[in-house]
Amino acid sequence: MQIKIEKGAQYIIDTLYDNGFEAYIVGGCVRDSLMGKMPKDWDIATNALPNEVQSIFDKTIPTGIKHGTVTVVHENINYEVTTYRLDGEYLDMRHPREVTFSKNIIEDLSRRDFTINAMAYNDRVGLVDEFGGVHDISKKTIKCVGDPNKRFNEDALRIIRAVRFSSKLGFDIDEETLSSMKSNSNNIERISFERINCEIEEIIRNDVSFLNIFYSLGITDYIFGSNKMVFDNHNFNKLAIGDSFYEPEYEMALKRAMLYEDVKENQILSSMKRLKYSNKDILNTVGIHKVLNEKYDVIDNLSNSFSYGEKKLLKDEEKSLKIEIKNILRDASDIKLAKFAIYSKFMKKKSNPCVCFSVFDDIIEKGECFSISQLDINGRILIENGFKNGITIGIVLNRLLDYVIENPEFNSRDKLVLLSKNII
């Protein structure tokens, strides 16, 4: 069994051998290569000590000397080179009390999480697969290396990582491993939410339906702060409206909004803050969630129809649809976020959003007004026409925007001045 090693990783392995040491590519890059996938990173394990690695290569970074890791920079690409090691007792379900360097690749592989990640390879020795990684890849199984209870008590995050790998690869979790995950699920409470968040985001990105495993583990409520989450794998087909629509940041917000669909807004805020999401991620998710759960007569009617995309809207229907879309644009304050929010309505029904987006694009292209900044009047002009500065200005501008959204032809200074006096 032969793996084509990336040239920079091969150079590092060859250089270590030339200096009397051994080295292998290890972990995910071996797994991905055996599955016919292109690895993102090429990690290397060696029996050379960190100071020996530093002395051999011209440019290195001491990224994790305490745990045996040195980053070797070759042709402006970083490669993590880690000395074979054995971990001592884990104190906090993350960090071992001590790390002992080893001269044996098998010992190093024995401490890893899952069999599919516990393989090593170089062209001189071939594949090192002491724990049955190839077998488990062929069986599409996620299985712990050795005793799963030991693995999950060393680092409880591995419970969620098992779900993440399952979602990424489409593999089932081994029965004994899953049983141990259930037995040790309370250990999750000792893991930081920052670490949990990284794994959750990957699962959502891969296939949200795998989060259903959390229900069986009894950790859904602890992680999300709610047991009302919806873990269906919706069809997010970016090709339905063109590649230009694809925006990872907003797509993730859309997926989260659909997961939180049955959860109240204050609970979403609490849950996402608990999971250490950024303010921007929270605002985007809540923004889409509002539209997803708001009632819009025309948009809801369109999203309920699979064939509506082939019809031409009646004039009154198009006007009503424009008003609904402008109000969404107004609330979202972000064109892309508004588009994804509308998209969520159609994804929920698995229907065609093309007619809706045709009107959406027409609004943008014509520069039709949907925000106060687009009004042909501002606070200064209102003051010049007799209004007192203060809260009244904001109220009048918002009332004017209400009117212009429904009557775009009135967005001119003279008409708006006259309308403002009628409002008062």
Side-chain angles (χ1 to χ4, degrees):
M1 189 175 294
Q2 190 170 12
I3 293 175
K4 183 174 177 58
I5 302 176
E6 188 265 350
K7 65 177 183 178
Q10 187 65 64
Y11 165 79
I12 293 171
I13 291 171
D14 290 341
T15 303
L16 285 165
Y17 268 96
D18 290 344
N19 283 271
F21 301 102
E22 64 183 42
Y24 298 82
I25 58 169
V26 291
C29 60
V30 179
R31 178 198 70 231
D32 289 345
S33 295
L34 293 175
M35 295 181 67
K37 301 179 180 181
M38 179 60 68
K40 292 182 179 179
D41 301 297
W42 295 84
D43 294 332
I44 297 164
T46 179
N47 60 348
L49 296 173
N51 65 307
E52 293 171 326
V53 173
Q54 288 177 300
S55 68
I56 291 171
F57 297 98
D58 294 332
K59 189 173 182 180
T60 62
I61 304 169
T63 45
I65 290 291
K66 182 179 178 181
H67 295 96
T69 300
V70 174
T71 296
V72 176
V73 183
H74 177 68
E75 296 184 348
N76 296 318
I77 299 176
N78 293 347
Y79 300 86
E80 285 196 355
V81 180
T82 304
T83 304
Y84 304 156
R85 74 186 204 201
L86 285 171
D87 296 336
E89 178 188 359
Y90 281 71
L91 300 177
D92 56 1
M93 293 198 172
R94 181 178 184 185
H95 300 105
R97 182 192 297 272
E98 60 183 1
V99 171
T100 304
F101 295 132
S102 170
K103 293 295 182 181
N104 188 320
I105 183 63
I106 302 297
E107 288 183 338
D108 182 80
L109 297 176
S110 70
R111 67 178 178 81
R112 296 175 183 262
D113 50 9
F114 308 111
T115 60
I116 61 172
N117 299 329
M119 295 179 286
Y121 177 87
N122 67 35
D123 291 337
R124 291 169 172 80
V125 177
L127 182 68
V128 179
D129 181 23
E130 185 74 11
F131 304 100
V134 171
H135 175 269
D136 289 334
I137 287 175
S138 69
K139 296 294 184 182
K140 295 187 176 182
T141 300
I142 306 296
K143 183 179 180 181
C144 281
V145 174
D147 179 5
N149 289 319
K150 182 179 180 181
R151 295 284 85 86
F152 295 133
N153 278 283
E154 289 170 342
D155 186 351
L157 187 67
R158 287 170 172 167
I159 293 171
I160 298 180
R161 280 171 60 83
V163 181
R164 194 248 291 178
F165 281 116
S166 183
S167 71
K168 177 181 179 179
L169 303 173
F171 287 10
D172 293 327
I173 300 175
D174 167 72
E175 188 175 331
E176 183 183 4
T177 297
L178 184 60
S179 176
S180 180
M181 289 165 62
K182 292 177 182 178
S183 299
N184 294 286
S185 61
N186 287 341
N187 290 343
I188 290 296
E189 297 181 16
R190 299 174 63 182
I191 303 300
S192 72
F193 278 108
E194 287 89 349
R195 294 182 74 207
I196 291 173
N197 176 279
C198 292
E199 302 295 328
I200 295 293
E201 281 289 277
E202 286 298 314
I203 298 169
I204 293 173
R205 185 175 287 108
N206 295 331
D207 186 336
V208 298
S209 65
F210 280 78
L211 289 171
N212 284 310
I213 297 173
F214 289 179
Y215 281 124
S216 66
L217 299 179
I219 59 176
T220 303
D221 192 52
Y222 173 75
I223 291 176
F224 292 101
S226 173
N227 59 8
K228 296 181 179 179
M229 308 300 291
V230 179
F231 299 139
D232 291 331
N233 187 30
H234 298 280
N235 178 26
F236 296 93
N237 183 5
K238 64 187 174 80
L239 298 178
I241 46 178
D243 288 340
S244 62
F245 184 73
Y246 181 62
E247 295 279 349
E249 175 186 343
Y250 292 99
E251 184 170 330
M252 288 302 294
L254 188 155
K255 286 189 174 185
R256 288 187 224 108
M258 297 182 89
L259 294 180
Y260 283 109
E261 182 179 352
D262 296 328
V263 180
K264 293 180 180 179
E265 185 177 323
N266 65 325
Q267 291 175 306
I268 298 174
L269 293 170
S270 175
S271 174
M272 293 190 71
K273 286 178 181 178
R274 177 188 182 90
L275 282 166
K276 307 300 181 183
Y277 278 99
S278 68
N279 288 334
K280 186 175 183 180
D281 283 340
I282 294 173
L283 287 173
N284 286 347
T285 302
V286 170
I288 294 176
H289 179 270
K290 284 181 179 179
V291 175
L292 181 63
N293 289 276
E294 189 72 33
K295 182 173 175 57
Y296 296 95
D297 292 338
V298 182
I299 292 175
D300 289 339
N301 182 44
L302 286 170
S303 66
N304 280 325
S305 172
F306 284 83
S307 60
Y308 212 119
E310 301 171 5
K311 294 183 180 180
K312 186 175 181 179
L313 291 173
L314 298 175
K315 191 172 182 178
D316 288 345
E317 287 179 314
E318 183 171 353
K319 181 179 179 180
S320 297
L321 178 58
K322 274 194 171 186
I323 292 170
E324 289 184 353
I325 292 174
K326 287 178 188 178
N327 279 312
I328 291 172
L329 282 161
R330 176 187 192 171
D331 293 339
S333 302
D334 183 311
I335 291 174
K336 289 180 179 177
L337 182 62
K339 203 165 192 176
F340 269 89
I342 294 168
Y343 191 37
S344 68
K345 289 276 193 180
F346 291 86
M347 288 299 95
K348 181 180 177 182
K349 303 292 185 180
K350 297 184 175 68
S351 55
N352 189 344
C354 289
V355 169
C356 193
F357 285 142
S358 176
V359 175
F360 185 105
D361 292 339
D362 187 57
I363 292 170
I364 304 302
E365 289 170 9
K366 290 180 178 178
E368 293 191 24
C369 180
F370 54 81
S371 69
I372 287 176
S373 64
Q374 292 174 303
L375 287 171
D376 195 28
I377 195 172
N378 54 36
R380 178 182 57 79
I381 295 172
L382 289 176
I383 292 171
E384 289 174 356
N385 281 272
F387 288 86
K388 291 183 179 181
N389 195 8
I391 191 171
T392 302
I393 298 294
I395 293 172
V396 171
L397 288 173
N398 273 292
R399 291 289 301 278
L400 291 174
L401 179 58
D402 290 338
Y403 193 84
V404 169
I405 281 177
E406 296 193 18
N407 305 277
E409 68 275 10
F410 276 81
N411 192 22
S412 68
R413 176 171 173 167
D414 292 341
K415 290 180 180 179
L416 292 173
V417 169
L418 183 60
L419 279 170
S420 66
K421 293 178 178 178
N422 290 336
I423 289 172
I424 291 302

